[in-house]
Structures are given as C-alpha cells and as structure tokens.
Amino acid sequence: MAKVIELNKSITDSNDRDAQKLREELKQKGVFLINLMSSPGSGKTTLLSSTIEDLKDKVNIAVLEADIDSDVDAVKIEKLGAKSVQVHTDGMCHMDAGMTKRGLEGMDLTGIKLAFLENVGNLICPAEFDTGAHKNVMILSVPEGDDKPLKYPLMFSMSDVLLITKTDAKPYFDFDIEACKERVLRLNPKIKIFPVSAETKEGMDAWEAWLLENLF
Ligand code: MG
Ligand code: ZN
C-alpha cells in the first residue's frame, strides 16, 4: 500500500503566484521538480520506472503520482527504490500549484534532489496550470502518432523537453520522427527533444544526462 493523499482543487486568487513561490521554496531546498505530462496510457510510469532504475544510485528521487483514483503507480515506483506518494485529484483533470505543494508536503524530502510530478494523463488543461515545477516535460509515444503537435499546440509550446517514447515500436507504426521534430520546433524552437525507448534503453542516456545537468 502506498501513502495516498486526497486533494481538492486549490482555492486561490493566483495560481501563478503560488507556483512561483513553490518553485523558489523547492530550489532553496535543493529539490529539482519536473512536471511530467502526457495523454493517458502513453507510458509515463514506464518511462519514470526506467529512469529511476538508471539513476537511483546517483541521486535520491521522489515521485508524486497524481491520479483520479488507485495507487498502482505509486506502489510500482516504490518497489524500484524511489520515494512515492499517490495523490487523488477528486476528479480534477490537472494539478495546480497548491495541489502540488500539498502533495509534496506529504513526503519527507530530506536528501531528495530530483522530484517528479506525474501529472494527470491529459494533453489539454495540464498545459494551462503552472504547477511550480522547474521544468515541464511531456511525453509523446510513437503509437499516438506524429500529428499530435498539430492537435495540442499549447502543450508542445510550454514544454521544456519532449520525450518521444516507445521508439522500439517504430517498425509497427507510421511515425516520422523528423517530421514530428520539425512540427514541434516550429511551435517551440527552444524545446529539447529526446527520442527514447524504456524497453531497449535507446536514447535514455541523453535524457538522463539532461536531468543530472539540471540538478541544483
Ligand atoms: Mg501512470
Ligand atoms: Zn483540468
């Protein structure tokens, strides 16, 4: 059983201000927070699990698992040796800064250098709410198709990193990585793009090097 925290929507007049405050507080504590976003079923937990496996001997990692229900992802993450808390979002389809703060308060962050918020699976409104994370990372998996940047431009525009995942599935899907990169860079010329496979570990080293470089 994982620790589960029930959250309600934050009642605040300024999510942006709360987010900025949380970002500064975490930086002072030396905790680098990533907001990880994707559509449901695109493999956020799998990507995280593989990342934790590779980095857990180098850095202490914590994961805040946001979900409408269940604690399966938090249990999976804890088995890998990272600290994890599950938050239930009471039907909310995104996390805001106040919810992220309350979730993190349910965890002992002593010694933690890298924290992930696994946001609710949804490519629309998580893009509209600053969570207080230092970097926004999104996942697009090969089976979802290379036309997603055209359908969800805001998500691609506000992310610092795009992980194109499940590249091992490329032979079975019509996904043009170069065309996808071009579409995304047109929306967001500063975004970093890492094609990865958690399965074969192809490309994981570049993503993990980026994470380690960005720690405080
Ligand atoms: Mg998950
Ligand atoms: Zn929402």
Side-chain angles (χ1 to χ4, degrees):
M1 272 281 282
K3 180 170 178 183
V4 176
I5 301 173
E6 304 292 338
L7 292 178
N8 301 106
K9 184 177 192 290
S10 302
I11 300 165
T12 172
D13 56 347
S14 174
N15 184 64
D16 286 348
R17 197 162 54 222
D18 295 350
Q20 194 51 36
K21 208 172 149 212
L22 177 59
R23 205 165 10 253
E24 280 159 23
E25 280 170 17
L26 289 170
K27 188 176 181 181
Q28 268 168 22
K29 288 184 189 156
V31 179
F32 176 56
L33 178 65
I34 301 257
N35 175 26
L36 188 61
M37 298 168 291
S38 79
S39 52
S42 69
K44 280 193 298 290
T45 309
T46 305
L47 188 277
L48 264 183
S49 300
S50 183
T51 304
I52 290 166
E53 254 169 34
D54 296 342
L55 294 184
K56 69 176 178 207
D57 295 334
K58 293 183 184 140
V59 56
N60 290 330
I61 303 173
V63 179
L64 191 58
E65 284 281 349
D67 239 313
I68 295 186
D69 213 344
S70 98
D71 69 351
V72 285
D73 289 342
V75 169
K76 219 183 282 173
I77 294 289
E78 273 194 342
K79 278 192 189 140
L80 295 169
K83 209 169 262 187
S84 185
V85 162
Q86 184 87 47
V87 296
H88 288 167
T89 56
D90 189 33
M92 283 270 285
C93 42
H94 63 266
M95 290 285 285
D96 63 27
M99 292 163 84
T100 304
K101 183 176 163 70
R102 292 199 297 282
L104 289 171
E105 280 167 359
M107 237 188 287
D108 178 9
L109 292 177
T110 313
I112 298 292
K113 296 260 170 252
L114 176 59
F116 291 94
L117 162 63
E118 190 182 322
N119 211 319
V120 182
N122 169 357
L123 284 180
I124 304 169
C125 50
E128 295 164 23
F129 290 86
D130 191 340
T131 58
H134 299 100
K135 297 283 183 193
N136 294 309
V137 175
M138 70 167 296
I139 290 177
L140 175 63
S141 69
V142 161
E144 290 175 87
D146 56 28
D147 59 346
K148 280 287 188 298
L150 305 173
K151 295 180 184 164
Y152 305 100
L154 183 61
M155 179 60 78
F156 287 85
S157 303
M158 57 80 72
S159 292
D160 300 292
V161 169
L162 165 64
L163 296 169
I164 300 176
T165 64
K166 304 188 190 174
T167 54
D168 52 288
K170 247 182 337 197
Y172 315 104
F173 293 90
D174 183 21
F175 190 106
D176 185 336
I177 289 195
E178 287 314 310
C180 181
K181 278 187 182 171
E182 215 173 280
R183 280 176 194 142
V184 173
L185 288 168
R186 218 174 297 144
L187 289 166
N188 180 355
K190 282 195 202 137
I191 197 169
K192 290 224 174 335
I193 304 176
F194 300 111
V196 298
S197 163
E199 203 66 45
T200 66
K201 298 277 185 191
E202 185 194 4
M204 288 295 286
D205 47 350
W207 150 241
E208 289 157 0
W210 179 87
L211 283 171
L212 295 176
E213 273 164 29
N214 275 279
L215 298 179
F216 295 127

